[in-house]
């Protein structure tokens, strides 16, 4: 079957044709394979289904008389756009390992636990999880370490599990969303052609009020729990173990300070991350007595804690370049799949439908939310959820004269923050399995996660925090200039 619409070689892509169903067929079939993987096989690794999606798109290309080579060139260009984010991820793996052996993470944990009291437990849990996620750039790592410990402490304090789970998820995913070290925070602006720090600043109007409101609610809930007759021995034991195995001082916080200062100075993310690694490695050598060979091994393979205290060992056994291979390979598959759909014409076909009814600011932002939620609930893969809408809508924002920071903010609000609230999404399934509590049980109490998109909708209605620029109309492309525009991510 030959495509019934002329192809402009300058566009390096096809579509839309006269058959919308044929244009979106590769996306629909791939979504079906992903759902089988998730719900039938109970395996939440989307790598192979996405690889199948690339092959399916190639088969449809052949069936319609199109060339595989053009599609391959397109998805390689899209992968190139994500390379800075992938390099940052490898740096983050080194950063986590170096911060552990330098004593930075142990120091943050030690003093963070000092602020606990039963009445302020939920408030404190949310704050601590946010700090750890911002510092490490990983919500999953925070949930699987600090979050797991907090669930046990909360049970001992008599705090209902759904409250504790909600506070953990709110803090962890808030920190993940706002951290310059996070994979999602780097990948989302990369896909839409936005500079990293512009993206982070653009998220403040929704994320900060959502977090402040969530903390106020947790503080109010905590007022119902007294401080009498509470055994905090588990917290004290954890702090003792940290103090016995690390030299904890203000010096060990220097790597975190370096990263913060670099962020304030708007330095590119890669030298920011590597600067934090270098400073932490020097502190590990001179203050903690870690040898150069061991430092190199930790940077490559991560740190394995052997304090004998199970909670501490679980908290601090992580990091290294190799710890990021799962995420990096998934990012490659997701970007390649989206690039394949771009070349085949799927995104143009969808965009042609969208253009019929997106005529206003509200329509544009509602479409952004709807597309992200559709991909997140249908496919369940966080990375495709973030990348596909960004590639789909970035030109529409330029055409209508709105800065794409609103696009990337909306994607993170409805993608990153809502992923742990959807039971079959990667985020929701991971949190539920890790914390041992059903997704729909804690979801209503993860206030920061669902309040952030609500603030986004509020600002859309009020026309607040929706920055504008000169409207332009450009063809959808992924040429070298697009890659260069985000080369500093």
């Amino acid at each position: 079957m030959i495509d019934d619409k002329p192809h402009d070689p300058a566009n390096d892509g096809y579509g839309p044709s006269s058959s919308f169903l044929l244009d979106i067929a590769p996306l629909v079939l791939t979504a079906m394979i992903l759902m089988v993987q998730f719900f039938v096989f109970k395996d939440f690794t989307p790598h192979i289904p996405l690889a199948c999606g690339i092959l399916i798109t190639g088969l449809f290309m052949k069936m319609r008389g199109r060339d595989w080579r053009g599609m391959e060139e397109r998805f390689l260009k899209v992968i190139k756009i994500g390379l800075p984010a992938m390099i940052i991820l490898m740096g983050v793996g080194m950063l986590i390992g170096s911060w552990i052996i330098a004593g930075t993470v142990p120091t943050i944990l030690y003093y963070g636990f000092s602020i606990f009291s039963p009445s302020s437990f939920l408030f404190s849990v949310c704050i601590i999880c946010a700090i750890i996620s911002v510092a490490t750039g990983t919500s999953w790592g925070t949930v699987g370490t600090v979050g797991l410990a907090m669930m046990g402490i909360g049970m001992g304090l008599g705090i209902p599990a759904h409250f504790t789970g909600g506070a953990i998820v709110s803090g962890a995913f808030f920190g993940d969303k706002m951290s310059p070290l996070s994979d999602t925070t780097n990948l989302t602006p990369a896909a839409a052609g936005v500079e990293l720090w512009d993206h982070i600043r653009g998220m403040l109007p929704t994320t900060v009020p959502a977090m402040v409101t969530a903390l106020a609610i947790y503080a109010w809930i905590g007022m119902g729990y007294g401080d009498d007759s509470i055994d905090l021995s588990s917290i004290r034991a954890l702090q003792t173990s940290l103090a016995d195995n690390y030299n904890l001082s203000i010096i060990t916080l220097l790597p975190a300070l370096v990263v913060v200062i670099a962020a304030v100075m708007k330095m590119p993310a890669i030298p920011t991350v590597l600067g934090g690694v270098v400073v932490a490695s020097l502190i590990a050598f001179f203050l903690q007595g870690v040898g150069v060979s061991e430092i190199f091994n930790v940077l490559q393979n991560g740190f394995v804690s052997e304090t004998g205290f199970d909670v501490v060992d679980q908290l601090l056994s992580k990091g290294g370049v190799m710890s990021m291979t799962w995420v990096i390979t998934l990012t490659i598959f997701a970007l390649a799949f989206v690039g394949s759909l771009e070349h085949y014409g799927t995104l143009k076909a969808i965009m042609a439908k969208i253009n019929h009814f997106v005529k206003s600011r509200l329509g544009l932002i509602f479409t952004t939310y709807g597309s992200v939620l559709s991909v997140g609930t249908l496919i369940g893969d966080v990375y495709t959820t973030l990348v596909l809408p960004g590639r789909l809508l970035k030109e529409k924002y330029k055409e209508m004269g709105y800065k794409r920071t609103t696009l990337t903010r909306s994607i993170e609000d409805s993608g990153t923050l809502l992923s742990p609230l959807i039971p079959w999404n990667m985020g929701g399934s991971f949190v539920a399995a890790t914390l041992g509590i059903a997704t729909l049980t804690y979801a209503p109490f993860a206030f920061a996660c669902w309040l952030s998109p609500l603030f986004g909708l509020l600002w859309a209605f009020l026309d607040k925090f929706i920055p504008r620029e000169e409207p332009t109309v450009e063809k959808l492309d992924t040429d070298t200039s697009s890659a260069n525009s985000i080369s500093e991510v």
Side-chain angles (χ1 to χ4, degrees), residues 10-92:
N11 287 341
D12 189 26
Y14 298 86
S17 70
S18 59
S19 174
F20 179 70
L21 291 179
L22 197 57
D23 286 339
I24 66 171
L27 176 61
V28 173
L29 291 174
T30 304
M32 293 172 62
I33 296 174
L34 279 162
M35 286 188 284
V36 170
Q37 174 85 335
F38 294 161
F39 303 130
V40 178
F41 300 154
K42 306 296 183 183
D43 185 347
F44 293 93
T45 51
H47 299 63
I48 303 307
L50 289 174
C52 292
I54 297 170
L55 293 176
I56 289 171
T57 308
L59 290 175
F60 273 88
M61 292 279 296
K62 183 69 174 179
M63 182 179 70
R64 302 180 78 173
R66 300 174 178 178
D67 182 27
W68 165 277
R69 185 171 300 174
M71 187 186 83
E72 182 177 306
E73 290 176 356
R74 169 60 69 92
F75 73 62
L76 288 176
K77 288 180 180 179
V78 177
I79 290 174
K80 181 180 178 180
I81 290 175
L83 281 177
M86 287 182 258
I87 294 172
I88 290 171
L89 286 174
M90 289 186 281
V92 168

Side-chain angles (χ1 to χ4, degrees), residues 10 17 23 28 39 67 89 112 133 141 149 155 163 169 174 185 190 259 267 271 280 291 374 378-379 389 406 410 460:
S17 70
D23 286 339
V28 173
F39 303 130
D67 182 27
L89 286 174
S133 277
M155 291 177 62
F163 285 154
V169 170
F174 162 86
T185 308
V259 171
M267 289 184 61
S374 297
L378 181 65
I379 295 181
T406 302
S410 301

Side-chain angles (χ1 to χ4, degrees), residues 208-226:
V208 171
M211 189 61 168
V212 170
T213 304
L215 289 172
I217 297 173
Y218 292 134
W220 177 74
I221 294 174
M223 292 172 62
Y225 297 91

Side-chain angles (χ1 to χ4, degrees), residues 361 400-403 405-406 463-471:
R361 177 188 71 255
M400 295 183 67
Y402 292 99
K403 289 189 176 181
T405 52
T406 302
D463 194 15
K464 301 292 185 182
F465 306 111
I466 312 291
R468 289 172 169 79
E469 62 183 3
E470 192 68 27

Side-chain angles (χ1 to χ4, degrees), residues 357-378:
F357 60 88
V358 177
K359 304 296 183 181
S360 66
R361 177 188 71 255
L362 288 177
L364 183 62
I365 294 177
F366 270 107
T367 298
T368 304
Y369 276 63
S371 62
V372 175
L373 285 174
S374 297
V375 177
T377 54
L378 181 65

Side-chain angles (χ1 to χ4, degrees), residues 111-133:
Y111 291 106
F113 287 128
S114 298
I115 69 176
F116 273 119
S117 70
S119 60
S120 65
F121 176 73
L122 296 175
F123 180 94
S124 301
V125 164
C126 189
I127 288 288
I128 289 173
C129 288
I131 292 172
I132 299 301
S133 277

